[in-house]
Amino acid sequence: MKNKLGDLNNHLFAQLERLADETLTPEQIEQEAKRADAIVSVADRIVGNADLQLKAAKLFAEHGQGILPMLPKIGASEP
């Protein structure tokens, strides 16, 4: 997989820099604000997914192999 959470962080900061650009026209600011809303929406989903994976890993760490049948398959296709 090419994208990591660190890449998401970089994208968010890059968008912040674009929003802070004092040379933007009001129309460009509006366009960047819309783009920022879309980026934040996708970022929230990515972070939520990462949080779910972390919770599954914690369950596995606390309960071992017995919990695996109750967890969704992550990163593998069904046979």
Side-chain angles (χ1 to χ4, degrees), residues 5-42:
L5 288 177
D7 298 326
L8 174 60
N9 198 44
N10 292 336
H11 286 294
L12 292 171
F13 277 112
Q15 183 59 46
L16 184 61
E17 289 175 13
R18 286 190 295 273
L19 286 169
D21 184 347
E22 295 181 12
T23 66
L24 295 179
T25 65
E27 294 80 18
Q28 290 171 319
I29 291 171
E30 184 178 342
Q31 183 180 11
E32 286 302 327
K34 287 179 182 177
R35 185 190 320 244
D37 285 342
I39 290 172
V40 167
S41 178
V42 172

Side-chain angles (χ1 to χ4, degrees), residues 33-70:
K34 287 179 182 177
R35 185 190 320 244
D37 285 342
I39 290 172
V40 167
S41 178
V42 172
D44 283 345
R45 300 302 287 275
I46 292 169
V47 170
N49 186 48
D51 183 56
L52 181 60
Q53 290 180 5
L54 178 60
K55 287 176 182 174
K58 285 180 180 180
L59 280 172
F60 179 74
E62 292 171 5
H63 301 284
Q65 296 283 336
I67 197 80
L68 287 179
M70 295 175 250

